[in-house]
């Protein structure tokens, strides 16, 4: 499906269908915190959000955004790669996470050489499968305009297409491409 509506907004609209108060969500790329705030609002004060970023500056901006929004959802700021998400989260989170979001590329307004890269992105996607609950969703927004972006987007598309246990939908645009992958309701690992 090709769309001209901003895919960042569309991703939130789609994810909102799968997130309820009290649930656990992961922002695999916190950046400026827009996605973390969205997830935190969806799961509410009874839920939990884990926000990952390798840049301290991104996590600080995310924390500031949530504070300014007076958001009282518990958010755990994880200053490490999303490729370490499985060891960063408590074992009790396995099979319990409702959504994992990836917004790939670089932090807008910062050094464009610090970018997500296919090997760690794919490792994080693999680990997400262990964390997702039945019926949970993965969303990946991939950009193709920066060096390495097209290759990473292609690697993500190929990975998503190979996952038999996930229902996979693609939302394309002249800019980024959005992949939404939903785990079947019955446990199938
Ligand atoms: C496009 S930005 C994310 C935008 C963000 N979701 C928002 O709502 O503002 C991409 C972020 O991914 C982060 N990043 C790059 N490699 C990463 C990795 N291996 N693990 C976690 N975050 C990473 C960058 O530091 C950057 O902040």
């Amino acid at each position: 499906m090709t769309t001209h509506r901003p895919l960042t907004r569309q991703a939130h609209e789609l994810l909102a269908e799968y997130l309820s108060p009290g649930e656990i969500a992961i922002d695999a790329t916190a950046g400026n915190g827009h996605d973390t705030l969205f997830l935190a609002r969806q799961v509410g004060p009874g839920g939990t959000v884990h926000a990952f970023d390798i840049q301290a500056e991104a996590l600080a901006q995310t924390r500031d955004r949530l504070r300014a929004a007076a958001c009282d959802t518990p958010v755990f700021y994880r200053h490490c790669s999303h490729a370490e998400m499985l060891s960063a989260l408590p074992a009790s989170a396995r099979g319990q996470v409702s959504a994992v979001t990836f917004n790939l590329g670089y932090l807008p307004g910062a050094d464009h050489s610090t970018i997500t890269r296919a090997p760690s992105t794919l490792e994080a996607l693999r680990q997400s499968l262990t964390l997702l609950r039945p019926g949970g969703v993965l969303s990946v927004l991939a950009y193709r305009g920066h060096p390495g972006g097209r290759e990473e987007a292609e690697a993500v598309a190929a990975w998503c297409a190979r996952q038999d246990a996930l229902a996979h939908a693609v939302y394309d645009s002249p800019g980024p491409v959005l992949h939404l992958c939903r785990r079947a309701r019955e446990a199938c690992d």
Side-chain angles (χ1 to χ4, degrees):
M1 190 185 309
T2 301
T3 178
H4 292 273
R5 289 170 59 222
L7 283 178
T8 42
R9 178 144 49 92
Q10 232 177 308
H12 288 185
E13 289 167 5
L14 291 162
L15 285 163
E17 294 176 26
Y18 303 105
L19 279 168
S20 301
E23 295 187 328
I24 306 172
I26 296 174
D27 185 352
T29 51
N32 285 318
H34 300 280
D35 297 317
T36 303
L37 178 58
F38 161 76
L39 296 172
R41 283 182 166 149
Q42 294 301 308
V43 302
T48 306
V49 177
H50 299 269
F52 287 83
D53 209 292
I54 52 173
Q55 296 193 75
E57 175 194 354
L59 292 174
Q61 287 190 40
T62 298
R63 195 188 293 270
D64 287 351
R65 185 175 301 283
L66 270 79
R67 200 173 284 146
C71 180
D72 52 3
T73 300
V75 177
F76 294 89
Y77 297 92
R78 310 274 184 197
H79 186 197
C80 62
S81 170
H82 41 221
E84 296 166 46
M85 68 168 71
L86 210 44
S87 55
L89 264 63
S92 57
R94 294 182 182 203
Q96 302 298 322
V97 173
S98 293
V100 186
T101 68
F102 294 79
N103 190 336
L104 303 177
Y106 52 81
L107 180 64
D111 168 17
H112 289 193
S113 65
T114 304
I115 54 171
T116 56
R117 296 177 191 277
S120 43
T121 300
L122 295 186
E123 178 55 32
L125 286 170
R126 278 191 286 274
Q127 294 186 17
S128 300
L129 293 181
T130 302
L131 293 164
L132 270 193
R133 66 165 170 77
V137 287
L138 280 177
S139 80
V140 189
L141 190 56
Y143 299 82
R144 298 169 285 203
H146 61 280
R150 180 165 296 279
E151 293 73 14
E152 183 182 36
E154 286 171 0
V156 166
W159 183 89
C160 293
R162 281 198 306 273
Q163 305 309 308
D164 292 337
L166 302 176
H168 177 208
V170 184
Y171 301 83
D172 211 346
S173 82
V177 56
L178 172 67
H179 296 274
L180 197 79
C181 298
R182 184 162 189 233
R183 189 172 162 190
R185 282 216 165 273
E186 297 72 28
C188 50
D189 285 347

